[in-house]
Short mmCIF file of all heavy atoms in Angstrom, two decimals:
data_model
loop_
_atom_site.label_atom_id
_atom_site.label_comp_id
_atom_site.label_asym_id
_atom_site.label_seq_id
_atom_site.Cartn_x
_atom_site.Cartn_y
_atom_site.Cartn_z
N GLN U 76 -6.23 -26.42 23.36
CA GLN U 76 -6.26 -25.60 24.58
C GLN U 76 -4.89 -25.52 25.24
O GLN U 76 -4.61 -24.59 25.99
CB GLN U 76 -7.25 -26.19 25.57
CG GLN U 76 -8.70 -25.93 25.20
CD GLN U 76 -9.66 -26.32 26.30
OE1 GLN U 76 -9.24 -26.81 27.34
NE2 GLN U 76 -10.92 -26.12 26.07
N PHE U 77 -4.03 -26.51 24.95
CA PHE U 77 -2.72 -26.54 25.59
C PHE U 77 -1.67 -25.74 24.81
O PHE U 77 -0.55 -25.59 25.26
CB PHE U 77 -2.26 -28.00 25.76
CG PHE U 77 -3.26 -28.84 26.48
CD1 PHE U 77 -4.04 -29.76 25.80
CD2 PHE U 77 -3.46 -28.69 27.84
CE1 PHE U 77 -4.99 -30.53 26.46
CE2 PHE U 77 -4.40 -29.46 28.51
CZ PHE U 77 -5.16 -30.37 27.83
N GLU U 78 -2.08 -25.25 23.65
CA GLU U 78 -1.15 -24.49 22.80
C GLU U 78 -1.15 -23.03 23.24
O GLU U 78 -2.22 -22.43 23.39
CB GLU U 78 -1.66 -24.59 21.36
CG GLU U 78 -0.61 -24.63 20.29
CD GLU U 78 -1.26 -24.82 18.92
OE1 GLU U 78 -1.78 -25.91 18.66
OE2 GLU U 78 -1.25 -23.85 18.14
N ALA U 79 0.04 -22.45 23.41
CA ALA U 79 0.10 -21.04 23.79
C ALA U 79 -0.22 -20.17 22.58
O ALA U 79 0.14 -20.52 21.46
CB ALA U 79 1.50 -20.70 24.31
N PRO U 80 -0.89 -19.03 22.77
CA PRO U 80 -1.21 -18.18 21.62
C PRO U 80 0.06 -17.53 21.05
O PRO U 80 1.02 -17.29 21.76
CB PRO U 80 -2.14 -17.11 22.21
CG PRO U 80 -1.92 -17.15 23.67
CD PRO U 80 -1.45 -18.51 24.02
N ILE U 81 0.01 -17.27 19.73
CA ILE U 81 1.15 -16.66 19.03
C ILE U 81 0.88 -15.17 18.88
O ILE U 81 -0.20 -14.77 18.47
CB ILE U 81 1.33 -17.30 17.64
CG1 ILE U 81 1.61 -18.80 17.79
CG2 ILE U 81 2.47 -16.64 16.87
CD1 ILE U 81 1.47 -19.57 16.50
N LEU U 82 1.89 -14.36 19.22
CA LEU U 82 1.76 -12.90 19.08
C LEU U 82 2.68 -12.44 17.95
O LEU U 82 3.86 -12.74 17.95
CB LEU U 82 2.16 -12.21 20.38
CG LEU U 82 1.20 -12.38 21.56
CD1 LEU U 82 1.80 -11.83 22.83
CD2 LEU U 82 -0.11 -11.66 21.28
N LYS U 83 2.12 -11.67 16.99
CA LYS U 83 2.92 -11.10 15.90
C LYS U 83 2.77 -9.59 15.95
O LYS U 83 1.66 -9.08 15.90
CB LYS U 83 2.42 -11.61 14.54
CG LYS U 83 2.70 -13.07 14.30
CD LYS U 83 2.31 -13.46 12.89
CE LYS U 83 2.56 -14.92 12.65
NZ LYS U 83 2.12 -15.33 11.31
N ARG U 84 3.91 -8.93 16.02
CA ARG U 84 3.90 -7.46 16.17
C ARG U 84 4.31 -6.81 14.86
O ARG U 84 5.31 -7.19 14.25
CB ARG U 84 4.89 -7.09 17.26
CG ARG U 84 4.77 -5.69 17.80
CD ARG U 84 5.64 -5.57 19.06
NE ARG U 84 5.53 -4.27 19.66
CZ ARG U 84 6.30 -3.23 19.39
NH1 ARG U 84 7.26 -3.37 18.51
NH2 ARG U 84 6.13 -2.07 19.97
N TYR U 85 3.53 -5.84 14.40
CA TYR U 85 3.83 -5.13 13.16
C TYR U 85 3.92 -3.64 13.44
O TYR U 85 3.19 -3.09 14.26
CB TYR U 85 2.72 -5.36 12.11
CG TYR U 85 2.49 -6.81 11.77
CD1 TYR U 85 1.53 -7.55 12.44
CD2 TYR U 85 3.23 -7.44 10.78
CE1 TYR U 85 1.31 -8.88 12.14
CE2 TYR U 85 3.01 -8.76 10.48
CZ TYR U 85 2.05 -9.47 11.15
OH TYR U 85 1.84 -10.79 10.85
N ARG U 86 4.80 -2.99 12.65
CA ARG U 86 4.91 -1.54 12.77
C ARG U 86 4.38 -0.93 11.49
O ARG U 86 4.77 -1.32 10.39
CB ARG U 86 6.38 -1.15 12.97
CG ARG U 86 6.61 0.34 13.19
CD ARG U 86 8.09 0.59 13.55
NE ARG U 86 8.40 0.09 14.87
CZ ARG U 86 8.18 0.77 16.01
NH1 ARG U 86 7.65 1.96 15.98
NH2 ARG U 86 8.49 0.24 17.18
N LEU U 87 3.48 0.04 11.59
CA LEU U 87 2.89 0.67 10.41
C LEU U 87 3.83 1.73 9.87
O LEU U 87 4.41 2.50 10.63
CB LEU U 87 1.55 1.31 10.77
CG LEU U 87 0.46 0.36 11.29
CD1 LEU U 87 -0.74 1.15 11.74
CD2 LEU U 87 0.07 -0.64 10.23
N VAL U 88 3.99 1.76 8.54
CA VAL U 88 4.83 2.77 7.90
C VAL U 88 3.96 3.57 6.95
O VAL U 88 3.27 2.99 6.10
CB VAL U 88 5.99 2.10 7.11
CG1 VAL U 88 6.81 3.15 6.39
CG2 VAL U 88 6.86 1.29 8.04
N GLU U 89 3.98 4.88 7.12
CA GLU U 89 3.15 5.74 6.28
C GLU U 89 3.77 5.86 4.90
O GLU U 89 4.97 6.08 4.76
CB GLU U 89 3.03 7.12 6.92
CG GLU U 89 2.04 8.01 6.23
CD GLU U 89 1.93 9.36 6.90
OE1 GLU U 89 2.49 9.51 8.00
OE2 GLU U 89 1.33 10.25 6.32
N GLU U 90 2.94 5.72 3.85
CA GLU U 90 3.42 5.85 2.48
C GLU U 90 3.36 7.30 2.08
O GLU U 90 2.38 8.00 2.34
CB GLU U 90 2.55 5.02 1.54
CG GLU U 90 2.84 3.55 1.60
CD GLU U 90 2.07 2.79 0.55
OE1 GLU U 90 1.21 3.38 -0.11
OE2 GLU U 90 2.35 1.60 0.38
N GLU U 91 4.43 7.78 1.37
CA GLU U 91 4.44 9.15 0.88
C GLU U 91 3.57 9.25 -0.35
O GLU U 91 3.67 8.45 -1.26
CB GLU U 91 5.87 9.56 0.53
CG GLU U 91 6.74 9.67 1.76
CD GLU U 91 8.18 10.05 1.41
OE1 GLU U 91 8.45 10.26 0.21
OE2 GLU U 91 9.00 10.11 2.31
N LYS U 92 2.73 10.29 -0.40
CA LYS U 92 1.79 10.42 -1.51
C LYS U 92 2.41 11.11 -2.71
O LYS U 92 1.95 10.98 -3.81
CB LYS U 92 0.57 11.23 -1.08
CG LYS U 92 -0.26 10.54 -0.02
CD LYS U 92 -1.40 11.40 0.42
CE LYS U 92 -2.11 10.76 1.59
NZ LYS U 92 -3.19 11.63 2.10
N GLN U 93 3.50 11.93 -2.52
CA GLN U 93 4.01 12.76 -3.61
C GLN U 93 4.62 11.93 -4.72
O GLN U 93 4.32 12.06 -5.87
CB GLN U 93 5.07 13.73 -3.07
CG GLN U 93 4.46 14.78 -2.16
CD GLN U 93 5.53 15.65 -1.52
OE1 GLN U 93 6.70 15.46 -1.77
NE2 GLN U 93 5.11 16.58 -0.70
N GLU U 94 5.50 11.01 -4.33
CA GLU U 94 6.17 10.23 -5.37
C GLU U 94 5.51 8.86 -5.43
O GLU U 94 5.31 8.23 -4.41
CB GLU U 94 7.65 10.05 -5.05
CG GLU U 94 8.40 11.36 -5.03
CD GLU U 94 9.81 11.14 -4.52
OE1 GLU U 94 10.22 9.98 -4.32
OE2 GLU U 94 10.50 12.15 -4.34
N GLU U 95 5.26 8.43 -6.61
CA GLU U 95 4.73 7.09 -6.80
C GLU U 95 5.90 6.13 -6.88
O GLU U 95 6.63 6.10 -7.85
CB GLU U 95 3.89 7.01 -8.07
CG GLU U 95 2.50 7.57 -7.88
CD GLU U 95 1.64 7.34 -9.12
OE1 GLU U 95 2.02 6.50 -9.95
OE2 GLU U 95 0.64 8.02 -9.23
N VAL U 96 6.08 5.39 -5.86
CA VAL U 96 7.23 4.47 -5.84
C VAL U 96 6.87 3.23 -6.64
O VAL U 96 5.88 2.55 -6.36
CB VAL U 96 7.59 4.09 -4.39
CG1 VAL U 96 8.75 3.14 -4.36
CG2 VAL U 96 7.89 5.34 -3.59
N LYS U 97 7.71 2.95 -7.63
CA LYS U 97 7.46 1.77 -8.45
C LYS U 97 7.98 0.55 -7.71
O LYS U 97 9.10 0.52 -7.24
CB LYS U 97 8.22 1.93 -9.76
CG LYS U 97 7.49 1.42 -10.98
CD LYS U 97 8.36 1.63 -12.19
CE LYS U 97 7.60 1.54 -13.46
NZ LYS U 97 8.47 1.70 -14.63
N GLU U 98 7.14 -0.45 -7.61
CA GLU U 98 7.56 -1.65 -6.92
C GLU U 98 8.58 -2.40 -7.76
O GLU U 98 8.38 -2.57 -8.96
CB GLU U 98 6.37 -2.55 -6.65
CG GLU U 98 5.49 -2.02 -5.53
CD GLU U 98 4.31 -2.93 -5.29
OE1 GLU U 98 4.35 -4.08 -5.75
OE2 GLU U 98 3.37 -2.48 -4.65
N ALA U 99 9.66 -2.83 -7.16
CA ALA U 99 10.72 -3.53 -7.89
C ALA U 99 10.35 -4.98 -8.07
O ALA U 99 10.85 -5.87 -7.38
CB ALA U 99 12.04 -3.40 -7.14
N THR U 100 9.41 -5.22 -8.98
CA THR U 100 9.01 -6.61 -9.25
C THR U 100 10.01 -7.23 -10.21
O THR U 100 10.71 -6.51 -10.92
CB THR U 100 7.61 -6.65 -9.85
OG1 THR U 100 7.64 -5.88 -11.06
CG2 THR U 100 6.59 -6.06 -8.90
#
Side-chain angles (χ1 to χ4, degrees):
Chain U
Q76 285 189 359
F77 306 105
E78 214 176 290
I81 299 167
L82 290 171
K83 290 186 181 177
R84 195 169 182 269
Y85 302 93
R86 184 173 290 276
L87 299 174
V88 177
E89 188 179 350
E90 283 186 352
E91 292 179 3
K92 294 177 187 177
Q93 292 174 0
E94 296 173 7
E95 280 186 17
V96 179
K97 218 181 197 182
E98 286 180 17
T100 59

